[in-house]
Amino acid sequence: MEKKRILIVDDETEVTTFFTYFLKKKDCDIVVANSGKDVERLLHSDSTGFHAALVDLKLPDADGLTLLKQIKAVFPTCEVLIMTGFSTIKSAVTAMQWGARDYLEKPFDDLDSLEQVIDAVLSSSSKHSDHLSQEAAQYGIVYSSDSPMANVCAIAKKLAKKAIHVLIEGETGTGKELMARFLHGASNRAQQPFVAFNCGAVPESLLESELFGYEKGAFTGALKSRKGLFELAHNGTLFLDEIGEAPPSIQVKLLRTLETGEFMRVGGEQIGKSNIRFISATNRDLEHEVGMNRFRSDLLYRLEGIKLSIPPLRERIQDIPTIAHYYLQKRSGDPREIDQDAIELLQRYDWPGNVRQLINVLNQTIALHECERLRAEHLPANLRNRMVQVLPPTVPKRIEQVIDHECERFVDTILRLVTSIDGIDFDYLIKRVKQLEGEIGRTIIEKGLTETNGNRQLLSKKLNITKRTIRYILNEKA
């Protein structure tokens, strides 16, 4: 069997010595780098490549996220494991979202868990991802092996047992509550209550009593005392859906409970205390809501211990066949076939309502056509017509719209922060904006090299630029 070649990047001798000994016992060839400069030199001089790299998140002269991108740009198939302390787990999760395989938490007390992660990388086994997808399916999260959801679920699984609040972002119908239930089910609180609450479904006048409970006689109709959600979810998980709909008066009280665990029933005098893991979800851009003074920034920072983003269905159309087959079988109890033509039509639709809308369409189709094989003509006519009319221009247009929107937000933010021209360093502002142009170009090139396995010819064709331009952006814009 071919020896695995492993790169270890850490400035701590104890760490590199430990992993050198640990991996040599597994018959691996080891290369050690103690700094970012060492890594840069290796990437330019070493053409053999590495099967995996263990990279410390914080080095004296570099950060792990930058090294991750550099390693992936040169050796796209190299699996990168980020090593980090607990205080930097948020950055480690960001690394996973940028393509790292996993992260290892310092100090390495749990050697069994450490060996399990490393063995999975060395064997390139798909058993772990298969097991994860099956576990996620138990909570209704269905995806294909090459779906971006695989990475989202891997991160969620990793975070489940951490004492960290999680904010889930995603459009309506993407399955945010399913993800919250998955996080709870994989956590150490799995045997404790999971309480879900939609902040947008209750009038503001009743919201406080629902969350905090009330005492008998607190208001007209309060004939007896009642526990609130903070008491009901004690030792478990409280899922606050549509948190962006919470009014300012409730945001203040939520913030206090998040910080201290303390609450008081409406009409009560006793302070209660609850041990809760908060998972919240929103389909709004809460940072934008903060900028518009509609959401408290301190509450947002408390809620987003870690942020998980669920991609819309139109960005993971490879999941549509898997979801359709899974749901049809679950719905009917018997294998029910669906034609490839029907699948292709479903994949061409925009799905503004995401997975929830897809399941509704399947339900509607099954109800109207009691057949063992669903064909394209069985799909709702309005959906078929809209597919043809809407899809072709939307894919490229959407990306441009997002870029335009983000640029407008950037300008708005700068204007909002610059309350007066007094004291502003205009030269610095312009210089920094020009520097941003280089950073964006380089990031896109590095992402493209990862997607094309380092094939610059293919990348130049895809981006409609020359290989010389690619080289210029990578070298001159760095």
Side-chain angles (χ1 to χ4, degrees):
M1 182 184 292
E2 181 189 2
K3 274 191 170 184
K4 305 293 185 185
R5 198 157 181 264
I6 311 297
L7 172 64
I8 303 170
V9 185
D10 202 305
D11 60 320
E12 295 181 51
T13 307
E14 295 84 358
V15 173
T16 56
T17 304
F18 167 73
F19 277 112
T20 299
Y21 176 79
F22 185 79
L23 290 167
K24 279 190 173 178
K25 295 272 283 182
K26 293 181 178 293
D27 200 28
C28 295
D29 281 336
I30 307 302
V31 177
V32 172
N34 298 117
S35 66
K37 286 184 178 177
D38 286 349
V39 175
E40 195 172 334
R41 178 179 50 78
L42 279 170
L43 294 180
H44 280 94
S45 61
D46 194 312
S47 58
T48 308
F50 301 96
H51 182 268
L54 280 63
V55 180
D56 188 25
L57 189 60
K58 289 189 174 179
L59 293 167
D61 64 340
D63 69 86
L65 296 180
T66 302
L67 295 180
L68 163 68
K69 289 193 288 183
Q70 291 176 346
I71 292 171
K72 282 288 188 181
V74 179
F75 303 120
T77 59
C78 177
E79 300 279 14
V80 178
L81 295 173
I82 294 291
M83 299 184 285
T84 178
F86 181 83
S87 60
T88 52
I89 283 179
K90 194 169 184 175
S91 299
V93 170
T94 301
M96 288 183 72
Q97 291 166 337
W98 287 9
R101 169 73 176 263
D102 207 334
Y103 68 83
L104 305 172
E105 220 175 302
K106 291 181 179 179
F108 307 112
D109 293 333
D110 188 350
L111 292 181
D112 290 339
S113 174
L114 175 70
E115 187 165 19
Q116 194 175 13
V117 172
I118 290 179
D119 283 348
V121 172
L122 295 180
S123 64
S124 297
S125 171
S126 61
K127 288 182 181 176
H128 177 71
S129 57
D130 288 346
H131 177 74
L132 181 62
S133 65
Q134 291 169 9
E135 185 177 352
Q138 294 174 13
Y139 296 90
I141 304 170
V142 180
Y143 56 87
S144 61
S145 58
D146 57 345
S147 168
M149 282 302 294
N151 192 39
V152 176
C153 286
I155 296 172
K157 176 73 175 179
K158 194 82 179 175
L159 295 174
K161 295 186 187 302
K162 307 291 182 189
I164 302 173
H165 302 316
V166 179
L167 174 65
I168 304 172
E169 292 182 330
E171 295 181 3
T172 299
T174 49
K176 297 186 288 294
E177 181 168 345
L178 300 180
M179 182 58 71
R181 289 184 182 276
F182 174 66
L183 278 162
H184 174 74
S187 74
N188 296 326
R189 299 171 182 259
Q191 303 305 316
Q192 302 297 327
F194 175 87
V195 178
F197 181 70
N198 189 323
C199 297
V202 178
E204 182 175 352
S205 57
L206 298 178
L207 201 51
E208 183 177 1
S209 59
E210 287 290 326
L211 288 170
F212 301 99
Y214 55 83
E215 297 291 352
K216 179 180 178 180
F219 49 82
T220 304
L223 301 178
K224 61 180 181 179
S225 299
R226 182 181 172 185
K227 290 181 178 178
L229 300 180
F230 290 111
E231 288 175 85
L232 296 174
H234 181 54
N235 287 330
T237 301
L238 178 58
F239 173 57
L240 296 174
D241 199 4
E242 305 300 349
I243 187 67
E245 307 299 324
S249 60
I250 293 299
Q251 290 179 29
V252 177
K253 294 176 180 177
L254 277 175
L255 176 63
R256 175 168 174 73
T257 304
L258 272 162
E259 289 178 334
T260 66
E262 294 178 350
F263 64 90
M264 186 181 292
R265 290 181 179 179
V266 176
E269 296 179 344
Q270 300 294 321
I271 295 176
K273 199 167 179 69
S274 190
N275 171 24
I276 291 176
R277 198 247 186 109
F278 286 90
I279 301 176
S280 47
T282 181
N283 58 10
R284 291 192 182 194
D285 181 345
L286 289 186
E287 290 183 3
H288 178 68
E289 295 299 305
V290 168
M292 300 298 291
N293 292 322
R294 293 194 289 249
F295 201 84
R296 294 182 65 98
S297 58
D298 43 9
L299 178 58
L300 174 60
Y301 301 145
R302 282 286 175 183
L303 291 172
E304 61 169 15
I306 295 291
K307 189 187 295 183
L308 283 179
S309 297
I310 301 180
L313 188 57
R314 62 180 172 276
E315 292 180 8
R316 49 186 178 104
I317 59 173
Q318 64 271 50
D319 289 348
I320 290 176
T322 308
I323 295 172
H325 288 296
Y326 176 87
Y327 183 73
L328 288 175
Q329 181 153 358
K330 181 181 176 184
R331 178 78 160 72
S332 62
D334 299 316
R336 189 188 288 259
E337 298 295 327
I338 179 167
D339 269 359
Q340 184 58 30
D341 287 349
I343 288 291
E344 289 175 3
L345 283 174
L346 290 174
Q347 288 181 308
R348 289 176 53 201
Y349 186 57
D350 201 28
W351 299 113
N354 292 292
V355 179
R356 183 183 295 138
Q357 186 186 12
L358 171 61
I359 291 175
N360 286 341
V361 165
L362 292 173
N363 268 334
Q364 182 182 349
T365 307
I366 293 170
L368 293 175
H369 305 281
E370 295 182 357
C371 54
E372 293 183 354
R373 191 176 193 85
L374 293 183
R375 297 192 296 273
E377 58 265 32
H378 292 150
L379 296 173
N382 61 336
L383 184 141
R384 297 200 307 271
N385 295 335
R386 192 176 167 190
M387 279 185 292
V388 175
Q389 295 169 5
V390 171
L391 189 74
T394 57
V395 175
K397 191 177 177 183
R398 180 170 298 108
I399 296 171
E400 292 168 357
Q401 285 176 334
V402 169
I403 293 171
D404 289 344
H405 176 66
E406 292 301 319
C407 288
E408 288 170 5
R409 279 185 55 195
F410 174 71
V411 174
D412 287 344
T413 302
I414 295 294
L415 290 176
R416 180 164 42 80
L417 294 174
V418 179
T419 54
S420 168
I421 61 171
D422 293 337
I424 187 172
D425 187 339
F426 187 71
D427 285 340
Y428 172 77
L429 174 64
I430 298 303
K431 181 180 175 183
R432 188 64 186 85
V433 171
K434 288 181 178 176
Q435 186 182 342
L436 180 64
E437 174 192 339
E439 291 170 4
I440 292 173
R442 182 178 172 83
T443 302
I444 294 296
I445 294 293
E446 289 174 343
K447 181 177 176 60
L449 287 171
T450 301
E451 291 179 2
T452 59
N453 290 329
N455 188 332
R456 296 193 179 196
Q457 181 72 35
L458 177 60
L459 179 61
S460 67
K461 186 176 179 182
K462 281 176 173 279
L463 294 182
N464 196 26
I465 58 177
T466 65
K467 288 196 289 184
R468 185 177 179 181
T469 304
I470 292 175
R471 188 168 59 249
Y472 169 76
I473 291 174
L474 287 176
N475 295 333
E476 301 299 326
K477 299 287 185 181

